[in-house]
């Protein structure tokens, strides 16, 4: 999504606050009252945008460098002495919470480092 689309989306969502029901409950807009232009809304979005999800899979694990970043031993394809040992190696985003799988990757990665060090 581009920043102009984000700013329009933000402005559209904020129209909910113009309804009588919300006006009765929300006394003051403390976050976006300063926003007057699309650029103001875009800057607001840049400053506060985040995710409620657990970002993963940005350094996917797989057999070849064309479709992944690390191999099965968590080594970065094409580089020596560099590994990625965190939830970014997940080939797909897990359907549930990522805490336990992240711990598992850390433990398994530590085991692999010990094995390869010997």
């Amino acid at each position: 999504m581009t920043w102009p689309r984000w700013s329009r989306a933000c402005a559209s969502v904020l129209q909910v606050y113009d309804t009588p029901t919300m006006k009765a409950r929300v006394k003051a807009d403390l976050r976006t009252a300063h926003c007057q232009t699309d650029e103001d809304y875009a800057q607001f979005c840049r400053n506060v945008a985040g995710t409620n999800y657990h970002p993963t899979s940005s350094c996917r694990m797989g057999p070849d460098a064309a479709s992944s970043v690390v191999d099965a031993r968590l080594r970065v394809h094409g580089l020596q002495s560099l590994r990625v040992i965190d939830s970014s190696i997940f080939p797909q985003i897990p359907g549930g919470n990522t805490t336990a799988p992240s711990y598992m990757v850390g433990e398994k990665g530590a085991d692999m480092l010990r094995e390869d060090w010997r």
Side-chain angles (χ1 to χ4, degrees):
M1 187 182 269
T2 63
W3 288 117
R5 288 183 68 195
W6 271 103
S7 63
R8 286 193 303 274
C10 183
S12 294
V13 168
L14 292 172
Q15 288 177 353
V16 170
Y17 290 102
D18 285 335
T19 63
T21 301
M22 291 303 287
K23 282 184 177 181
R25 289 174 173 72
V26 178
K27 301 302 177 199
D29 176 1
L30 301 178
R31 299 200 57 175
T32 59
H34 68 283
C35 294
Q36 302 298 317
T37 66
D38 283 349
E39 181 53 37
D40 292 340
Y41 283 109
Q43 188 60 48
F44 170 77
C45 291
R46 281 190 286 273
N47 292 342
V48 301
T51 180
N52 289 333
Y53 300 103
H54 303 283
T56 67
S57 310
S58 60
C59 295
R60 297 174 61 148
M61 177 175 47
D64 71 282
S67 62
S68 61
V69 176
V70 298
D71 64 15
R73 295 200 57 79
L74 309 179
R75 296 174 296 213
V76 174
H77 293 294
L79 297 175
Q80 288 186 318
S81 303
L82 181 62
R83 296 182 192 242
V84 176
I85 304 176
D86 62 22
S87 61
S88 64
I89 62 104
F90 297 161
Q92 297 178 348
I93 298 172
N97 193 294
T98 59
T99 302
S102 297
Y103 287 150
M104 182 275 307
V105 167
E107 291 290 330
K108 185 64 176 170
D111 290 344
M112 289 178 187
L113 283 171
R114 279 191 288 272
E115 290 168 9
D116 292 350
W117 183 259
R118 294 179 189 156

